[in-house]
Amino acid sequence: MLHTLYICYLSLDEPLVQSQVLPYLRELAAGGVKTKLLTFEKDLKQKSGDQLAATQKALASSGITWSFLPYHKRPSMPATLYDVLAGALRIARMVRREGVEVLHARAHIPMAMILIARRFVNCQTVFDLRGLIAEEYVDAGIWQEGSIPFKVIKWIERAGLRQADQIIVLTKRVREWLIRGDPKLADKITVIPCCVDRSRFAADTHRADRFQLVYAGSVIGLYLVEEMARFFLALKRLRSDAMFRVLTYGSRDSVAAVLQRVGVAVEDFEIVAVAPEDIPRNLSQAHLGISFRKPTFSQIAASPTKIAEYLAAGIPVVSNAGTGDVDELLETERVGLTVHSFDDETLAHAARQTLALADDPATEALCRNVAAKHFDLHEIGGRRYCEVYERIAVNRVPWPRT
């Protein structure tokens, strides 16, 4: 039995960890991998020892041994460097004392910890590349290309790709791009998109009386709230009972301000904070899902969880071109529409096409079948994760390696 330590530079209670980390780790544990999880917790002082112990016990019941370190936020670069060094020290200790054989990095900062720890301990490594982070931060206007943070993250990325025994990416497009840069990576890259547990999405849906366009997820960074609002207005002209429902933990006031500025009436939208466990119930009321993202280079690596959730809920999708493998999925499986520009004529055409799709009685079953084919947590996500570890077990070589 392989013994892995999964390192995640997020807090356990963050929605992304609940929806995309823990389900995969449960699949690994169920597949026979001895699984440990290291997270970096915000606001640790607000959590009692009893609360933390109860959480550890709950995770242990599903085969996951959880440990944690405090997350430091400010000043940004020194705080992150401190966390990287603390994480590397904890990782090295766990390898030596607890027999960890595989170190699994979720994205770049955990990979930096592993690169340091591997100078002192011998372990196989999985680099779970969750996106082209440096380019994405530039695209979002947070960093400048060529800045020190940009260069550091790109160095970590190159070193991680070179030293990793296995690499996981979210899309076929980024896999192809990586292989063009280094053909030697081909044999160790596995594509695993963001998957969902379809059992959480009930088959007996109760669609709302009003036609609902729904958006679920973050509203900051690369998401195009104004363009989504303009698509809704095109939809509203064709369907007078339509409303736009936004499910997000982001700033409701800022989203409302954008919607109203574009011309969406107050009575025609709703913005609500929805916990991850309540997403399926909310999507079961909707008729059409939307996801417009800024179509930058970094998005070749993106696999929005919301796309899988929409389809699992039986609703078609309207997306703009340039996001990961979504274009190919929607075009080949006919469960939605890809928008190639945001002019009024294009949005009006997209609204007509997607309304027809949403009104087709066969669409719901088709969407669910496509979700099963491409995004099932057990058959796609869990199985491929286990296959990555099977390859590690087969290809394991004695240390030191030359």
Side-chain angles (χ1 to χ4, degrees):
M1 176 188 291
L2 280 177
H3 188 172
T4 189
L5 171 62
Y6 186 104
I7 305 103
C8 177
Y9 195 52
L10 295 168
S11 297
L12 187 71
D13 57 2
E14 293 190 33
L16 193 62
V17 177
Q18 293 294 314
S19 65
Q20 286 295 306
V21 174
L22 293 182
Y24 287 100
L25 295 187
R26 292 187 183 104
E27 291 293 308
L28 274 182
V33 177
K34 190 175 181 181
T35 304
K36 285 183 165 61
L37 169 64
L38 174 63
T39 62
F40 287 75
E41 297 297 308
K42 300 173 183 175
D43 304 321
L44 258 182
K45 294 179 180 179
Q46 299 178 14
K47 300 173 183 176
S48 69
D50 289 343
Q51 287 177 311
L52 295 171
T55 302
Q56 288 176 318
K57 184 177 179 180
L59 288 172
S61 68
S62 58
I64 302 169
T65 302
W66 176 50
S67 59
F68 51 86
L69 287 170
Y71 170 84
H72 298 89
K73 185 175 183 179
R74 293 189 178 89
S76 180
M77 285 190 66
T80 302
L81 178 59
Y82 180 89
D83 286 346
V84 167
L85 295 174
L89 180 60
R90 174 66 68 87
I91 290 166
R93 286 176 176 170
M94 292 179 74
V95 171
R96 287 173 174 164
R97 297 177 183 178
E98 301 178 32
V100 171
E101 300 167 280
V102 182
L103 298 175
H104 189 140
R106 188 187 194 281
H108 293 65
I109 299 302
M111 192 67 224
M113 301 175 193
I114 290 175
L115 291 171
I116 296 171
R118 277 182 40 147
R119 293 179 175 273
F120 307 100
V121 295
N122 299 332
C123 262
Q124 306 288 300
T125 301
V126 178
F127 187 10
D128 211 329
L129 188 71
R130 308 308 296 181
L132 301 177
I133 303 301
E135 288 86 353
E136 191 165 318
Y137 272 50
V138 170
D139 293 340
I142 300 172
W143 292 346
Q144 293 291 322
E145 187 170 358
S147 63
I148 291 175
F150 180 91
K151 290 179 178 178
V152 169
I153 290 297
K154 291 305 291 184
W155 181 89
I156 294 169
E157 184 176 289
R158 289 190 294 269
L161 292 170
R162 185 174 60 252
Q163 296 189 32
D165 297 279
Q166 292 291 314
I167 300 163
I168 295 171
V169 297
L170 298 175
T171 70
K172 291 183 290 184
R173 288 181 69 196
V174 77
R175 181 182 188 274
E176 292 164 359
W177 178 75
L178 289 171
I179 292 171
R180 284 198 298 271
D182 184 357
K184 296 190 295 295
L185 297 177
D187 291 338
K188 60 180 184 179
I189 300 180
T190 300
V191 178
I192 308 178
C194 290
C195 295
V196 295
D197 183 352
R198 293 187 306 113
S199 67
R200 297 173 55 234
F201 293 80
D204 55 338
T205 53
H206 301 284
R207 305 298 178 196
D209 292 335
R210 290 188 69 178
F211 186 95
Q212 275 193 19
L213 174 70
V214 69
Y215 174 81
S218 174
V219 290
I220 60 175
L222 296 172
Y223 285 103
L224 302 174
V225 177
E226 180 172 330
E227 287 77 3
M228 289 190 280
R230 290 179 53 230
F231 172 83
F232 170 74
L233 289 177
L235 190 73
K236 181 75 175 175
R237 295 184 191 103
L238 300 171
R239 191 73 177 252
S240 60
D241 67 331
M243 70 171 297
F244 189 13
R245 200 153 187 261
V246 180
L247 314 178
T248 185
Y249 272 106
S251 172
R252 282 178 277 182
D253 291 341
S254 63
V255 176
V258 172
L259 298 183
Q260 291 180 70
R261 186 179 72 244
V262 172
V264 181
V266 173
E267 61 270 21
D268 287 334
F269 71 84
E270 183 179 21
I271 306 167
V272 292
V274 176
E277 61 269 21
D278 291 328
I279 287 290
R281 179 177 59 80
N282 280 268
L283 292 184
S284 72
Q285 303 170 35
H287 300 80
L288 176 65
I290 189 169
S291 176
F292 286 177
R293 292 165 70 109
K294 190 176 179 182
T296 61
F297 168 74
S298 66
Q299 296 309 290
I300 65 170
S303 174
T305 306
K306 58 177 64 63
I307 302 294
E309 291 174 333
Y310 296 158
L311 295 174
I315 58 176
V317 179
V318 57
S319 172
N320 65 304
T323 301
D325 299 330
V326 174
D327 301 7
E328 179 185 355
L329 174 77
L330 298 184
E331 290 168 7
T332 58
E333 298 289 2
R334 300 185 182 279
V335 288
L337 189 73
T338 301
V339 173
H340 292 271
S341 66
F342 298 113
D343 60 89
D344 291 343
E345 183 178 351
T346 298
L347 293 179
H349 173 75
R352 287 192 297 272
Q353 295 292 101
T354 50
L355 268 178
L357 193 58
D359 288 339
D360 187 339
T363 295
E364 181 171 336
L366 178 60
C367 290
R368 293 185 189 277
N369 289 338
V370 170
K373 179 180 176 182
H374 293 278
F375 302 113
D376 185 82
L377 173 64
H378 308 292
E379 295 300 319
I380 304 299
R383 179 170 293 182
R384 291 184 189 175
Y385 259 86
C386 290
E387 288 171 354
V388 167
Y389 278 80
E390 288 168 6
R391 286 194 290 275
I392 287 178
V394 169
N395 298 325
R396 196 166 22 172
V397 296
W399 284 75
R401 293 186 288 182
T402 59

